[in-house]
Amino acid sequence: MPLAPRAMVISLQKTGTHLMQGLMTNLGYKMAGVPRPTPRNTPEFTDAQRRQIAALTLSKSDYDELLELEGTEEYLLRTQEAWSALGWHWQRRLGQHVVNRYGQTRFDFADSVITNPHLPYSRFADTPAGLCWIFHELDISKVDGSFFAEWVETATPPLVYNYRDPRDALVSMVNFLEGRTREGYGNFYEFDIFHRILTSLPTWEEKLDYAMRDTSFLGRDQFERGLWLLRHPDVCKVSYEDLVGERGGGSRQRQLDAVDRLLKHVGSTADAEEVAGKVYDQSSWSFFRGTTGTWRERFTKRNEARFTELFGDILEQYGYE
């Protein structure tokens, strides 16, 4: 089986998205979705792909007009705008949190560029090849049903689900939102709200208790919404504990098994040993400590009791109890 032309990773927040991004980049994919653009992960489209993107997003007359500009800077600019619009179009169809994280202007921009009335009927397979789309969730109640129909019928794109001990994810989220990672807590608008709340609370016990009890807190219900991915037999599951290897408190064999499982799922012939050796990357902008079991250093007995009360079933279903 050849390498899948497109892949999709659903990596819950603070469960090792940077590990998944690095792994998929090492397989040759460029990134779309939530990863921050870097010179290494940003797509560089061929002329044929630029025409494909333009044909998807533009009406016949607008497309013909654009082709007359081929070979000019204006052509490159407008095809890049078409790609951006196509990306936001798919984020909307996949039920992503765009408006409260980036602002309504992203969708307004996409709507101003897109002139092809048939784009909503397009398939995910019509998007450019060579991309791995990474998102923090794929809420089955919000996704355009045509995407699921295509996935069920064709088994493409291959879906990978990445998760972590929910207790470690919670501690990591608090660290992140308090700005302890190398480049702060990011630029999603909603992050500012929770940053201010958390930094106003004097103790870790209070911060964690708040994060567990506020139903709007980032990532609070993500494990529950992802249960369908955990249980679906056609989704490849890998955990943070699988991927970190010995350097992150795991085991080399568990890391190799997870990487090999993922490679087979996306049709890669890459060497699992070689790929696994590059997975644990501490250079990510959102990296803090990158080890397993750190919740034990922060949870008080009261926090443990609260977590078990609210999320004990989730711990059991994900295999952490």
Side-chain angles (χ1 to χ4, degrees):
M1 181 175 88
L3 182 68
R6 299 157 198 83
M8 185 176 291
V9 173
I10 308 303
S11 181
L12 300 183
Q13 293 186 80
K14 308 312 298 175
T15 66
T17 304
H18 67 289
L19 301 180
M20 293 303 307
Q21 178 182 331
L23 198 161
M24 300 305 281
T25 302
N26 285 328
L27 298 185
Y29 289 105
K30 299 298 185 180
M31 296 295 110
V34 298
R36 280 190 174 188
T38 69
R40 187 165 177 251
N41 72 20
T42 301
E44 296 181 3
F45 297 118
T46 64
D47 289 339
Q49 287 179 313
R50 287 181 179 275
R51 289 192 293 270
Q52 173 198 10
I53 292 166
L56 274 174
T57 55
L58 302 179
S59 66
K60 179 65 166 61
S61 60
D62 288 345
Y63 175 72
D64 290 342
E65 177 187 333
L66 179 63
L67 290 185
E68 295 178 6
L69 300 172
E70 198 164 5
T72 68
E73 288 296 321
E74 179 68 15
Y75 175 81
L76 294 177
L77 173 63
R78 289 176 60 179
T79 52
Q80 186 59 41
E81 288 180 342
W83 160 240
S84 295
L86 183 62
W88 293 119
H89 168 83
W90 271 104
Q91 291 225 28
R92 177 157 48 192
R93 287 177 66 177
L94 294 171
Q96 298 303 303
H97 288 277
V98 171
V99 174
N100 68 325
R101 291 183 178 169
Y102 303 98
Q104 176 64 34
T105 55
R106 298 300 197 272
F107 285 157
D108 292 343
F109 164 78
D111 292 340
S112 72
V113 172
I114 295 168
T115 56
N116 181 2
H118 304 293
L119 180 59
Y121 300 95
S122 65
R123 303 189 311 156
F124 192 77
D126 296 324
T127 60
L131 299 181
C132 175
W133 298 68
I134 298 184
F135 298 111
H136 290 314
E137 65 179 21
L138 197 63
D139 189 331
I140 201 167
S141 68
K142 297 178 180 178
V143 176
D144 184 331
S146 65
F147 171 81
F148 284 131
E150 178 184 352
W151 182 68
V152 169
E153 179 184 352
T154 67
T156 59
L159 283 180
V160 179
Y161 183 44
N162 177 57
Y163 58 90
R164 182 184 192 179
D165 186 321
R167 295 162 295 193
D168 277 337
L170 180 63
V171 170
S172 182
M173 180 63 80
V174 172
N175 278 323
F176 175 66
L177 290 173
E178 288 208 292
R180 294 192 179 94
T181 54
R182 189 175 69 244
E183 296 183 32
Y185 58 89
N187 58 359
F188 287 175
Y189 295 144
E190 60 185 332
F191 287 5
D192 292 328
I193 302 298
F194 296 112
H195 172 77
R196 184 72 182 92
I197 294 171
L198 289 169
T199 55
S200 73
L201 298 172
T203 69
W204 262 95
E205 182 177 76
E206 290 171 278
K207 296 174 196 292
L208 292 170
D209 190 64
Y210 160 72
M212 285 185 266
R213 298 174 73 178
D214 185 344
T215 58
S216 67
F217 189 75
L218 281 173
R220 182 187 184 276
D221 298 325
Q222 61 180 349
F223 288 88
E224 184 175 6
R225 291 195 301 271
L227 280 172
W228 76 269
L229 290 157
L230 181 71
R231 296 301 184 188
H232 202 291
D234 298 329
V235 175
C236 176
K237 275 76 72 173
V238 291
S239 72
Y240 182 85
E241 293 81 10
D242 291 336
L243 291 176
V244 292
E246 294 173 311
R247 294 169 63 195
S251 75
R252 177 65 170 171
Q253 190 57 55
R254 187 172 176 180
Q255 185 185 51
L256 284 172
D257 290 345
V259 170
D260 185 63
R261 187 164 66 246
L262 186 147
L263 295 181
K264 290 176 180 175
H265 190 66
V266 300
S268 173
T269 59
D271 180 72
E273 286 268 3
E274 182 179 348
V275 173
K278 301 175 182 177
V279 168
Y280 191 75
D281 179 14
Q282 295 178 303
S283 65
S284 169
W285 70 274
S286 61
F287 184 89
F288 183 54
R289 289 181 59 184
T291 56
T292 62
T294 55
W295 68 270
R296 293 184 178 89
E297 301 172 14
R298 294 299 185 186
F299 274 50
T300 63
K301 292 298 183 183
R302 180 169 174 255
N303 291 146
E304 288 187 44
R306 177 79 70 187
F307 199 95
T308 300
E309 173 192 350
L310 295 173
F311 308 111
D313 182 61
I314 290 296
L315 285 176
E316 181 179 344
Q317 293 206 57
Y318 278 84
Y320 292 102
E321 282 294 329

